Amino acid sequence: MTGKELTHPNWQRNLTGLAIAIVFGFQPIISTLIGWPFMGIQFLCLSVSLFSFLYLFEFTQSGRRLHLYLALGLAYLTMHIFGTGLAISLSVLFTATLLITLKWSQTSDDKLALVKSFIPVFVVSALTLGHTYLMLKGELHTDAENVSFFTSITRYGAILIEFLHTSLRYIWAQGGCHQPEMRGMETDSIYGWGLVIIVLITIFSSINTYLKKPSDELLMWISILTLPTITLLIIVAMITYRIQSEPSHNVIIGYINTDRYLIFSSFCGLVYCLGLFLRSNIKITTSVAAAFCIAAVFSIAGNAVFMHKVPHIVWPEKSISHEEYWNEILHSVQANPDHQNASWNQSMSVVTVFDLTPLDFQALIEKQLKLQNSAESD
């Protein structure tokens, strides 16, 4: 499928695109994400990122500065939606600079027009750097000593490979998988850095091929490779920077075991799959559209079975009535009003992953008990 076909959709391509969106959107990991309203921010950020990527892909085919402006503007907008938008903005800036440079090196005319294309890149770069400075300035600093540079490098490789591994593994039962242990972090790091080297060699090889035999199709392939790669590398770098004052390697688990972080690596994987599909030159025929529709139907059915059967097995707390649990807490603390009593300090881990006790809700509990007593006396 070529860039021209992307800009001239027909019902087969529309149906195929819808089916692919369903396959991605009806993963069980998505179901757990939408269970928390805060996760809507991630979805908004990813949606804007996708439009930014698509406009940059279109720029490789059309060369129109309007598509470049839209790609850069939307990429910068992601920084105002979610902190991880920094990775999106930087990757789009880097890729746009690379694409303009490659186009400029291979054209004999309109070089002035291409040079003008650098102006919005410089403007958005300045805005991004300023925004990044404010983000770093607002970071909470502790007196704890940072880990060594070698440890950070080791953690970087380990986080990267575990990010990808758990993204695939947790797609089907995020909460039901055992948490990884970081005892083999050095080995994981070797795999992670090895993967980085392989992907970078692939990108450089594609660039070298373009310089020898330029084509719009190869330029799009370079952008599809570069965008998700740089995005993922920067996200991992942000996590590594954030945990640099944590001496224990187990702190990594909180990032590679949480769906709100994994969804970004899944998104990068989706872009990679798009690239492989485009590279395969498969024509979107009725039979291809039908195949994707069948996959979409199975994904919906699989997600329905998952939500009906699996949560009560891997997350037993889902079957607990929060109303009944709260009433039990009210009853127990009413019988033991002493705040030092075990009833006030019992763990609420059966209904939440946070380290909470009834004492954390002291004001709310006392107010509710007062209202109940007033109602009973009336």
Side-chain angles (χ1 to χ4, degrees), residues 141-146 245:
H141 297 283
T142 63
D143 297 329
E145 184 179 354
N146 293 338
S245 61

Side-chain angles (χ1 to χ4, degrees), residues 119 210 238 274 365 374:
I119 296 176
Y210 177 83
M238 292 170 66
L274 171 64
I365 290 174
S374 300

